[in-house]
Amino acid sequence: MDLIRIKNVEKKYKNGVTAIYDLNLAIEKGSFVFVIGGSGSGKSTLIKMLYREEKPTKGQVIVGGLDVAKLKNKKVYKLRRKLGIVFQDYRLLPKLTVYENVAFALECIGEKRDIIRIKVLKALEDVGLKNKVHEYPDNLSGGEQQRVAIARAIVNDPKLLLCDEPTGNLDPEKSMEIMRVLDSINKTRGTTIIMATHDKEIVNKMKKQVITLKDGHLVKFKQKGTYAE
Amino acid sequence: MKPFRMLGRSIRDAVKSVIRNFSLSLASISCITITLIIVAIGIMASLNVKNFTEAIEKDMTIVVFLKNDATAEDAIEVEKEIKKISNVEKYTYQTKKEIKEKMQSESEVFKTVLNNWEEDESPLKDTYQVKVKNINQIKETALKIEKIDKVAVVRYGEGMVDKMVKAFASVEKVTYGIVIGLILVTVFLIINTIKLTISARRKEIGIMRLVGASNLTIKLPFIIEGMILGLLGSIVPVLVTTYGYYAFYRHFDGYLYSRLIQLIKPEPFIYQASIAIVAIGILVGMIGSASAVKKYLKI
């Protein structure tokens, strides 16, 4: 079954720039998909439309049965609870410890304390940070901070994990570490992962599905693709 | 259980935020305090004015003096005529003799003076005391009665009492105006306080949005913060109300200037006033923060 279905989607920003032209896509449950393309290719816009930071101007975006375009502002949280999001800049709260940062995601949705504990520790174990539970984000390396962000994104067992350039701020070695974590999440938890990146090396090494965008048009959708110009 | 958990969390966050932005919180609290003290004085003053104007109005009577030569039959005729007037609620009849006895029982001076007069040379007159249904039409009613045959003079509480009631009514209006103005100022101050806490927590709010916190969950701590500011701001006004009114009441012994102006008894009046003040404080805090949240948390 398809987790994400995108039909005839067009996105035009208010300043007149069209970021996506007539996009059609279907992404299966459990897949690992790279979205690649240069700057201004529309990959960030695509990711943003999936978590309804942006609404499509035309067409349908369906994520896990929810029509994102029709989702009212008040109901956005219903979509957000089904997915996890990881950004280039981690977006951790500096005054909270690693544990608290991850637990924050569950506290916000009113989860019980003992369930929070179990889920947070499991998520931190999955990203390999069980020994840094009480550290503050500022005391961690970039790679570690990003893993905390990933733990926070997956702690609620989402069906979908969206990553917008998660390795953008990391050196190649740390980037591969992040990719290994994401790959294992994809395999062990069965989480569908969509990752926007422009890191050729990663895409070529991972051999996953690749969506190539150029100037807002879908160029290719390949199984086991590589980063081709 | 979940709503309680979320509420607990919101209250915790709200208290934290009040303490973290202490100086601004204090500014809001002081403003609420000043406003509420004036509101409290306004409430108590206007309720007291209402209380005694009502008492005065209830006491307003038209006194109908019959002519000296009016006989008992004439009195019955007059009574029939009075009965016909629609604004008349009830009336009592007193003969000169009854009035004389009443006056004599009230004062030693009257007792001796009035004893000197014989029945037919008494300056006193037979009277009807008429109470009206609608106090605003007392003048018209009095005029109608005056036209009745054998009626000598008609007197009612015109003049001073009337003017006093009107003066107090305008004082009441001015008080309302000041109170409303102050409440608005306070609401604006609270909007600013909450705005600051919102901007201090922008990042946190962004993450809350991302991880799927509902809008209510995000807004609740700020609204509770406003309510806490309102509650803290109403402490001093409540003390002022209770102790102040007690002292005031005792100092004037329950009457202001004359027996005419009777103050409301402190209990349970001060408790009702206190509850009203706390409620206004919390409500003002809530309205202020709710509108701040609406303006600055476009989510």
Side-chain angles (χ1 to χ4, degrees), chain B residues 46 49 166-180:
Chain B
S46 61
V49 167
K166 268 179 193 153
F168 276 119
S170 54
V171 166
E172 210 179 322
K173 269 175 204 156
V174 171
T175 318
Y176 284 144
I178 293 170
V179 165
I180 289 168

Side-chain angles (χ1 to χ4, degrees), chain A residues 13-221:
Chain A
Y13 284 102
K14 274 182 189 149
N15 60 10
V17 176
T18 308
I20 301 269
Y21 295 92
D22 196 34
L23 186 67
N24 287 287
L25 267 181
I27 291 167
E28 259 174 61
K29 219 178 206 174
S31 47
F32 193 133
V33 185
F34 285 113
V35 180
I36 59 171
S39 304
S41 60
K43 56 185 196 301
S44 268
T45 304
L46 175 60
I47 298 278
K48 277 178 182 163
M49 281 195 291
L50 291 176
Y51 67 90
R52 205 196 168 281
E53 179 76 17
E54 296 292 346
K55 270 186 182 178
T57 358
K58 259 189 218 162
Q60 253 187 339
V61 177
I62 292 171
V63 178
L66 282 173
D67 189 341
V68 177
K70 283 184 186 158
L71 205 59
K72 280 192 183 129
N73 227 338
K74 273 186 182 170
K75 303 283 179 194
V76 170
Y77 73 92
K78 287 189 173 170
L79 171 71
R80 301 277 170 88
R81 285 182 193 187
K82 290 185 179 192
L83 46 85
I85 312 164
V86 177
F87 297 95
Q88 185 172 0
D89 56 356
Y90 325 132
R91 300 201 188 172
L92 299 174
L93 293 168
K95 283 182 185 168
L96 302 184
T97 64
V98 167
Y99 178 89
E100 288 164 343
N101 259 294
V102 179
F104 183 78
L106 294 175
E107 280 173 14
C108 283
I109 58 173
E111 193 60 270
K112 275 185 202 152
R113 199 174 268 267
D114 39 346
I115 292 178
I116 291 178
R117 200 177 159 72
I118 295 165
K119 283 189 168 180
V120 170
L121 292 178
K122 174 77 174 64
L124 285 172
E125 195 181 351
D126 286 0
V127 298
L129 281 177
K130 227 185 168 181
N131 53 339
K132 305 244 168 152
V133 169
H134 297 297
E135 294 284 345
Y136 284 90
D138 288 347
N139 299 336
L140 300 178
S141 71
E144 285 169 332
Q145 287 188 45
Q146 190 59 293
R147 282 191 275 156
V148 176
I150 293 170
R152 185 181 64 196
I154 61 167
V155 72
N156 196 26
D157 302 316
K159 290 177 193 160
L160 175 64
L161 183 60
L162 299 174
C163 310
D164 196 356
E165 307 259 10
T167 59
N169 281 348
L170 304 173
D171 61 40
E173 199 183 317
K174 297 284 182 205
S175 296
M176 277 322 291
E177 212 176 278
I178 295 293
M179 291 321 296
R180 275 195 292 277
V181 168
L182 289 177
D183 198 30
S184 90
I185 288 165
N186 175 243
K187 280 177 180 143
T188 57
R189 292 189 176 226
T191 313
T192 310
I193 297 180
I194 298 178
M195 174 172 160
T197 187
H198 55 245
D199 192 329
K200 280 181 206 171
E201 209 178 317
I202 286 175
V203 178
N204 292 343
K205 265 188 191 160
M206 298 296 289
K207 304 256 186 309
K208 302 288 183 187
Q209 298 177 47
V210 176
I211 294 170
T212 313
L213 293 174
K214 198 185 175 202
D215 299 330
H217 295 278
L218 177 68
V219 182
K220 263 183 224 161
F221 189 6

Side-chain angles (χ1 to χ4, degrees), chain B residues 13 40-41 69 71 79 83 115 123 180 190 193 208 214 223 233 239 261 272 288:
Chain B
D13 283 358
I41 293 169
D69 57 357
T71 58
E79 185 179 337
K83 228 184 215 172
N115 267 335
I180 289 168
I190 288 172
T193 312
M208 284 174 96
S214 65
I223 292 172
L239 294 179
I261 306 177
Q272 291 160 350

Side-chain angles (χ1 to χ4, degrees), chain B residues 131-274:
Chain B
K131 298 235 172 189
V132 296
K133 287 172 193 158
N134 185 355
I135 206 84
N136 293 325
Q137 287 168 13
I138 197 164
K139 201 173 174 186
E140 289 83 344
T141 311
L143 284 173
K144 272 184 199 165
I145 294 172
E146 209 165 14
K147 282 177 192 150
I148 300 169
D149 200 29
K150 295 286 176 192
V151 170
V153 201
V154 171
R155 283 275 168 275
Y156 63 98
E158 68 241 91
M160 181 241 178
V161 172
D162 211 28
K163 273 179 195 156
M164 195 170 69
V165 170
K166 268 179 193 153
F168 276 119
S170 54
V171 166
E172 210 179 322
K173 269 175 204 156
V174 171
T175 318
Y176 284 144
I178 293 170
V179 165
I180 289 168
L182 272 164
I183 286 177
L184 286 180
V185 170
T186 312
V187 167
F188 277 118
L189 209 80
I190 288 172
I191 289 176
N192 271 305
T193 312
I194 301 296
K195 188 179 142 191
L196 200 85
T197 28
I198 289 173
S199 70
R201 292 178 57 190
R202 277 233 172 271
K203 203 173 172 187
E204 205 176 315
I205 291 163
I207 293 168
M208 284 174 96
R209 285 280 285 161
L210 286 178
V211 299
S214 65
N215 288 357
L216 185 70
T217 316
I218 298 172
K219 286 174 181 172
L220 203 58
F222 299 106
I223 292 172
I224 290 175
E225 188 179 339
M227 290 167 80
I228 290 174
L229 294 177
L231 186 68
L232 292 177
S234 62
I235 293 172
V236 175
V238 163
L239 294 179
V240 168
T241 310
T242 38
Y243 291 102
Y245 191 72
Y246 250 124
F248 182 76
Y249 188 82
R250 225 173 289 156
H251 182 256
F252 288 103
D253 210 19
Y255 296 97
L256 206 58
Y257 306 122
S258 79
R259 293 263 142 188
L260 209 54
I261 306 177
Q262 193 175 1
L263 298 172
I264 302 172
K265 288 201 174 67
E267 275 173 65
F269 174 60
I270 44 169
Y271 302 122
Q272 291 160 350
S274 299

